[in-house]
Amino acid sequence: MNKIGKYGDIIRCIPDYGGFFMQKVRRTERIVAMTKVLTDQPNQLFSLNHFSSLFGTAKSTISEDLGIIKEAVVNYGIGIIETLPGATGGVRYLPYSTTDRIQQLVEQLCIKLTNPERVIPGGFLYMSDILFSPQLMTSVGAIFLTKLAASKPDHILTVETKGIPLAMMTARAFNVPVVMVRRDSRVTEGSSVSINYISGSPRRALPQGARVLVMDDFMKAGGTAKAMIDLVHEVGAEVVGTAVLVATAQPEDKLVRDYCALMVLNKIEDTTREIEVQASPWITKGDLT
C-alpha cells in the first residue's frame, strides 16, 4: 500500500503550492489552503492570478476569500493580510504580534530563564534550549518584525552559532536571507569576527548598499555586535538596526548604544544561583514604534 495514504493524490496535485487542483474546491477548503500558503511564507507576495489559477476560481471570488482570511487573522491577533494594488501587487501575510501576545511570550521566557538550573559556572546563563526551539524562535522573530518593521532590512547578519536560530526565524518573518559571520579568537587581539562565505566574494554575500539588521542572542558589553557592525560598514553596507534576545543591565554603557533587546538580565549569581530577568521597558510599556 502506498505509504502516502489517502492524501497522496492531493499532495501530488499541489507540489510546492504550484500545481492545480483537479476538481472544484469548496470555499472552506480554499480558505484553509490559502491561509496555509500565506502563513507558511510570511512577507511573500502572491498575485491574485496565482490563487485564481491554483484553484480554478475567478479573482473576484479569491478577493472575497481573502477578505474572510484578513478579518480572521486580525481578530485572533496572529498578524495581518496586506493587499498591494497595481499590476505588480498582490497579497501577503505579515506575522505581526499584538502587544498582549508579545508581553505574554516575553513573560514566559523570563520565567523560563530564572530557573536556577540555568546558571553555568562562571556566571553564564544557559539558553540553548530556548534558542533552538523552533516554536519559540518563530514567535520571537515575529516580535522583531513587529518592532523593527520600519527598518526594512534586506539581510539579517548574525554570528555563529547560537545566534543562527534567532536570525533564521527573524529572517523568515522579514522574508530576507541570513548572512553568518564566524567568530575568531586571537590570543593577542582578543575576540573578533569575520564573514564566513560558502562561495563567491564578500560583496556577493553582503552586497554594497545592503540594509542589514544585526542580530545576536546575548549582549554584555556589546563587543560582538560592534564587530559585526564594523564588518557591515567595511563592505559598504548599511546597518538599519541591532537586535538581541537578552542584554545585561551592566555595564550600562555598551559599545552599541542603539539596540533592541527583548529581555534584560539584571543579576546572575554563581553561588546562590539567583537569576533576575525582566522584559525590556519597551515591552512593558507596549511601545511597538
Side-chain angles (χ1 to χ4, degrees), residues 82-244:
E82 184 179 62
T83 303
L84 303 180
T88 59
V91 62
R92 63 185 176 186
Y93 166 68
L94 300 172
Y96 290 141
S97 294
T98 63
T99 300
D100 287 345
R101 288 174 67 89
I102 291 173
Q103 291 173 342
Q104 289 171 10
L105 176 67
V106 175
E107 182 181 354
Q108 291 171 7
L109 289 175
C110 288
I111 292 171
K112 283 179 176 290
L113 288 174
T114 53
N115 185 332
E117 297 299 319
R118 292 188 177 275
V119 178
I120 300 174
F124 296 100
L125 184 65
Y126 178 77
M127 300 194 302
S128 293
D129 60 323
I130 290 174
L131 288 165
F132 287 89
S133 165
Q135 182 180 3
L136 288 175
M137 288 304 101
T138 298
S139 297
V140 169
I143 292 174
F144 280 127
L145 168 69
T146 305
K147 176 65 174 175
L148 303 172
S151 65
K152 297 182 179 179
D154 46 37
H155 286 77
I156 306 293
L157 183 73
T158 193
V159 66
E160 63 177 9
T161 57
K162 292 181 181 179
I164 294 174
L166 174 64
M168 283 297 298
M169 294 300 100
T170 303
R172 179 180 183 271
F174 277 101
N175 190 26
V176 299
V178 173
V179 176
M180 185 187 73
V181 301
R182 182 191 298 119
R183 188 193 307 269
D184 294 327
S185 294
R186 301 188 176 114
V187 175
T188 56
E189 300 176 24
S191 179
S192 64
V193 297
S194 60
I195 292 183
N196 181 24
Y197 303 102
I198 296 174
S199 63
S201 66
R203 300 199 182 281
R204 185 173 181 179
L206 197 58
Q208 188 172 14
R211 297 175 59 83
V212 181
L213 175 61
V214 171
M215 300 203 73
D216 204 1
D217 61 302
F218 190 85
M219 180 188 289
K220 188 174 183 180
T224 300
K226 177 65 163 56
M228 285 192 282
I229 291 171
D230 290 344
L231 232 170
V232 171
H233 292 156
E234 284 180 19
V235 300
E238 177 189 1
V239 175
V240 296
T242 303
V244 296

Side-chain angles (χ1 to χ4, degrees), residues 1-15 20 22:
M1 180 179 175
N2 190 328
K3 291 184 178 180
I4 294 179
K6 63 180 180 179
Y7 299 111
D9 292 337
I10 297 176
I11 293 172
R12 282 188 286 270
C13 286
I14 50 171
F20 296 88
M22 305 305 292

